[in-house]
Amino acid sequence: SPPAAVSQVTVRDALNQALDEELERDDRVFLLGEEVAQYDGAYKISRGLWKKYGDKRVIDTPISEMGFAGIAVGAAMVWLRPVCEFMTFNFSMQAIDQVINSAAKTCYMSAGSIAVPIVFRGPNGASAGVAAQHSQCFAAWYGHCPGLKVVSPWSAEDAKGLLKASIRDDNPVVMLESELLYGVPFEMSEQAQSKEFVIPIGKAKIEREGTHVTLVSHSRPVGHCMEAAAVLSKEGVECEVINLRTIRPMDIETVEASVVKTNHLVTVEGGWPQFGVGAEICARIMEGPAFNYLDAPAVRVTGADVPMPYAKILEDNCIPQVKDIVFAVKKALNI
């Protein structure tokens, strides 16, 4: 049979496709947030959707995260399916009470009688030149909280499949996108572009097979891991690169199986080191069956433990680079 058609799709277009398809599929789905309607979205993720679906389905809100997140959570409790966009996840701090106390805990506190099928989405982590209040990763913050699901896509396929799965899920989902990936094109298979394509929440993906060391990452740093793996391959070191895709529930089984094979572990993330995603992975490996297969201590590559500086040269040094991953792998392998 001929190979399936593959085309290049940006993360922005993949997200737009997912929103369009889910708005069309289920009339309970609606999008709300700052600039999402008439302006076509601050990052043009919702381009064309207001024109197509109108004021009831794509709603511009005032600059009041606590207010519109609260409206969205209330709507979800009466079985609508809101997609609540934060212009960046830094601004979700204004609404963290709604996300955690209202959305995440209600199903449990109502003994399962009230579901909250809501998606909180928007850019997360470092952008470029926007300083400390716009540059932090919230994967560890939201991954910490029971009652939430947390997804963190890398490729266009991740973005589309995870957003569709999140909208269809009956639980509150936090979807952490990367602004720096929005314009990046990825190969997308014909299957991934079908209307029924979803990626199961809670399942990691092995992006590259390898035998010497396991690299585990999420969001934009997955790309850095792939680049580092290509560099190291020239030196005879074969990295297995795991794209977590989901932060909570975490697919630790895929990581364990890889560590059993490679005997070495390096975690890579843009967030801060203390209580981070990498810290959690290391602890889970330590506590589980794969610990006995480690030939060396696990190594974490993280963002610098500082509020993000504004100056470009300092910002570059605060975000994990390919050279940092290569260094960490050599440290883990003692070469």
Side-chain angles (χ1 to χ4, degrees):
S1 64
V6 171
S7 50
Q8 294 267 326
V9 179
T10 63
V11 171
R12 172 181 288 108
D13 289 342
L15 290 165
N16 182 269
Q17 231 176 67
L19 285 168
D20 189 6
E21 289 168 12
E22 295 306 300
L23 282 160
E24 185 177 65
R25 176 179 175 267
D26 184 343
D27 59 15
R28 295 171 302 175
V29 175
F30 69 98
L31 173 67
L32 80 169
E34 295 148 0
E35 309 278 18
V36 299
Q38 292 187 37
Y39 188 67
D40 274 340
Y43 305 97
K44 302 294 175 257
I45 304 297
S46 52
R47 187 173 49 222
L49 299 180
W50 175 66
K51 272 200 180 69
K52 184 169 178 182
Y53 295 100
D55 289 329
K56 281 201 163 65
R57 307 288 304 283
V58 183
I59 303 167
D60 278 331
T61 64
I63 302 172
S64 175
E65 279 75 15
M66 182 185 271
F68 67 73
I71 287 169
V73 172
M77 287 176 179
V78 293
W79 216 236
L80 292 171
R81 303 188 89 87
V83 178
C84 176
E85 176 179 310
F86 294 122
M87 200 177 284
T88 99
F89 259 91
N90 299 270
F91 306 150
S92 75
M93 291 290 93
Q94 299 285 336
I96 198 164
D97 180 65
Q98 305 287 9
V99 179
I100 307 302
N101 281 326
S102 300
K105 297 175 183 176
T106 294
C107 183
Y108 175 80
M109 292 179 74
S110 67
S113 64
I114 303 173
V116 188
I118 185 170
V119 180
F120 300 101
R121 54 154 292 273
N124 169 69
S127 175
V130 291
Q133 292 179 344
H134 298 73
S135 298
Q136 124 193 25
C137 175
F138 288 91
W141 289 62
Y142 289 115
H144 181 61
C145 301
L148 287 179
K149 294 183 179 182
V150 182
V151 299
S152 181
W154 168 54
S155 65
E157 184 174 304
D158 292 351
K160 181 172 184 197
L162 288 170
L163 180 51
K164 287 172 74 80
S166 300
I167 290 170
R168 295 181 191 191
D169 201 289
D170 287 339
N171 301 283
V173 183
V174 169
M175 180 157 168
L176 303 169
E177 301 156 13
S178 164
E179 184 188 335
L180 295 176
L181 287 174
Y182 284 155
V184 177
F186 287 87
E187 287 193 349
M188 220 167 153
S189 66
E190 209 167 10
Q191 176 211 358
Q193 294 193 64
S194 91
K195 286 192 174 177
E196 286 314 304
F197 176 73
V198 293
I199 288 171
I201 293 173
K203 193 81 197 80
K205 182 187 179 194
I206 296 170
E207 297 286 353
R208 181 187 174 120
E209 303 263 346
T211 49
H212 296 129
V213 59
T214 300
L215 291 177
V216 189
S217 191
H218 68 95
S219 190
R220 186 165 170 259
V222 174
H224 296 1
C225 288
M226 294 294 278
E227 287 177 49
V231 170
L232 286 157
S233 179
K234 294 195 177 87
E235 299 181 33
V237 174
E238 294 303 328
C239 302
E240 181 141 296
V241 179
I242 297 176
N243 172 7
L244 276 179
R245 284 181 163 174
T246 306
I247 305 299
R248 182 184 189 104
M250 189 178 278
D251 181 3
I252 209 68
E253 294 77 18
T254 295
V255 181
E256 282 176 339
S258 181
V259 169
V260 166
K261 181 171 82 170
T262 68
N263 313 113
H264 297 89
L265 174 64
V266 174
T267 66
V268 184
E269 67 191 301
W272 294 316
Q274 190 157 325
F275 313 113
V277 175
E280 174 67 17
I281 294 165
C282 291
R284 299 277 280 275
I285 292 298
M286 180 98 189
E287 292 164 350
F291 174 69
N292 294 317
Y293 290 85
L294 278 176
D295 287 346
V299 179
R300 290 182 291 161
V301 179
T302 69
D305 200 14
V306 297
M308 182 64 74
Y310 169 70
K312 183 171 185 354
I313 189 161
L314 295 176
E315 181 178 70
D316 289 345
N317 280 298
C318 285
I319 298 167
Q321 309 291 340
V322 172
K323 64 177 170 39
D324 303 318
I325 301 168
V326 171
F327 179 81
V329 167
K330 289 183 173 178
K331 180 178 166 185
L333 293 172
N334 197 24
I335 53 175

